[in-house]
């Protein structure tokens, strides 16, 4: 007699509903920002990557894992840019009209976002915090080469030139050290989210307190 398959052994089946209380998710907030969404994408990527590493190769998972890490990194860059821009304005630095919203709302290019963040960091902070950490920057440069516009890991085909119209995102089969790639993207994502982003948040809080004190004690 065939034994019943445990739900936990079948990735195509969801586990049973636990309870009404445990089935509620909270989505959205007046204060939701890029960092909040980045956190979810980075967590999702880590969960999938951990599953892939523990359970052996599953060639259906790498592309979505790459995408989740990339999008988490993109949103972390955008979150850092917004916070850094706010700090610069508080210090009296005039930014070009519409910035940084013009860039972060329109661009998905990792290289452009990293360049803008480095520009803001160099105006705002002293070394060694005046730019993205070197190892993380190297990963961003590599990721930019893999997927410049955020399309490569979303579709099987991407926009090509005027003559080609569309092109295959992955035209040639490759064997990649996916474990190493996951760890590289994991470290870069969390460095941007918690490292650079966390430092900027702390700087913004201290800066706000400082200017608040100046205003209160102004003659």
């Amino acid at each position: 007699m065939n034994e019943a398959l445990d739900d936990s052994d079948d990735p195509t089946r969801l586990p049973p509903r636990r309870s009404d209380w445990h089935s509620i998710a909270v989505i959205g907030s007046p204060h939701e920002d890029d960092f909040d969404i980045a956190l979810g994408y980075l967590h999702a990527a880590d969960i999938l990557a951990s599953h892939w590493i523990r359970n052996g190769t599953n060639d259906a998972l790498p592309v979505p894992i790459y995408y989740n890490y990339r999008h988490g990194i993109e949103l972390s860059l955008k979150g850092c840019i917004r916070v850094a821009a706010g700090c610069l304005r508080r210090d009296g630095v005039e930014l070009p009209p519409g910035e940084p919203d013009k860039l972060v709302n329109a661009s998905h290019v990792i290289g452009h976002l990293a360049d803008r963040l480095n520009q803001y960091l160099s105006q705002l902070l002293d070394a060694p915090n005046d730019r993205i950490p070197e190892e993380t920057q190297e990963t961003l440069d590599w990721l930019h080469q893999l997927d410049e516009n955020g399309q490569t890991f979303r579709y099987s085909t991407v926009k090509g030139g005027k003559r080609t119209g569309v092109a295959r995102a992955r035209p040639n089969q490759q064997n990649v050290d996916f474990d190493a790639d996951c760890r590289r993207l994991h470290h870069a994502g969390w460095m941007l989210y918690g490292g650079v982003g966390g430092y900027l948040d702390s700087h913004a809080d201290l800066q706000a307190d400082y200017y608040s004190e100046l205003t209160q004690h102004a003659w």
Side-chain angles (χ1 to χ4, degrees):
M1 184 173 65
N2 293 330
E3 295 184 2
L5 180 66
D6 189 329
D7 287 336
S8 63
D9 296 327
D10 184 0
T12 66
R13 297 182 63 186
L14 294 176
R17 182 181 178 91
R18 294 175 62 191
S19 69
D20 289 344
W21 175 258
H22 288 99
S23 300
I24 301 299
V26 178
I27 299 175
S29 160
H31 308 292
E32 185 179 78
D33 60 17
D34 291 326
F35 284 122
D36 295 323
I37 307 301
L39 177 63
Y41 275 98
L42 292 175
H43 269 310
D46 281 348
I47 291 168
L48 285 172
S50 296
H51 174 83
W52 189 92
I53 291 168
R54 290 193 183 103
N55 294 281
T57 58
N58 177 345
D59 292 337
L61 291 181
V63 170
I65 293 171
Y66 278 124
Y67 175 78
N68 276 279
Y69 275 127
R70 190 206 180 280
H71 198 54
I73 286 171
E74 177 186 327
L75 289 171
S76 294
L77 284 168
K78 290 180 175 182
C80 289
I81 288 170
R82 291 187 195 277
V83 176
C87 290
L88 287 171
R89 286 199 181 96
R90 198 176 289 116
D91 280 340
V93 177
E94 291 190 13
L95 300 180
E99 292 298 344
D101 292 337
K102 185 186 298 184
L103 173 71
V104 298
N105 290 338
S107 179
H108 303 287
V109 181
I110 292 291
H112 293 173
L113 295 170
D115 287 346
R116 182 60 58 86
L117 178 56
N118 279 324
Q119 175 191 337
Y120 286 173
L121 290 175
S122 68
Q123 294 176 268
L124 184 65
L125 302 171
D126 296 325
N129 300 312
D130 60 340
R131 62 176 296 104
I132 297 168
E134 183 177 358
E135 183 178 0
T136 301
Q137 182 66 59
E138 290 175 357
T139 297
L140 295 180
D141 294 341
W142 166 73
L143 184 57
H144 178 83
Q145 295 298 319
L146 282 180
D147 185 4
E148 178 180 340
N149 295 302
Q151 302 295 307
T152 301
F153 300 120
R154 294 181 67 186
Y155 309 108
S156 61
T157 57
V158 295
K159 292 180 181 179
K162 293 182 179 180
R163 295 182 179 180
T164 58
V166 296
R168 290 207 169 272
R170 288 160 296 281
N172 301 310
Q173 181 174 308
Q174 302 176 61
N175 294 329
V176 299
D177 186 343
F178 187 60
D179 183 294
D181 286 357
C182 285
R183 297 176 194 279
R184 186 176 189 178
L185 291 166
H186 165 88
H187 290 302
W190 289 110
M191 173 54 75
L192 288 169
Y193 175 87
V196 180
Y199 191 91
L200 283 170
D201 275 340
S202 296
H203 182 84
D205 289 341
L206 291 171
Q207 186 189 50
D209 289 343
Y210 171 75
Y211 284 119
S212 177
E213 286 291 322
L214 283 182
T215 301
Q216 291 178 14
H217 294 88
W219 289 91

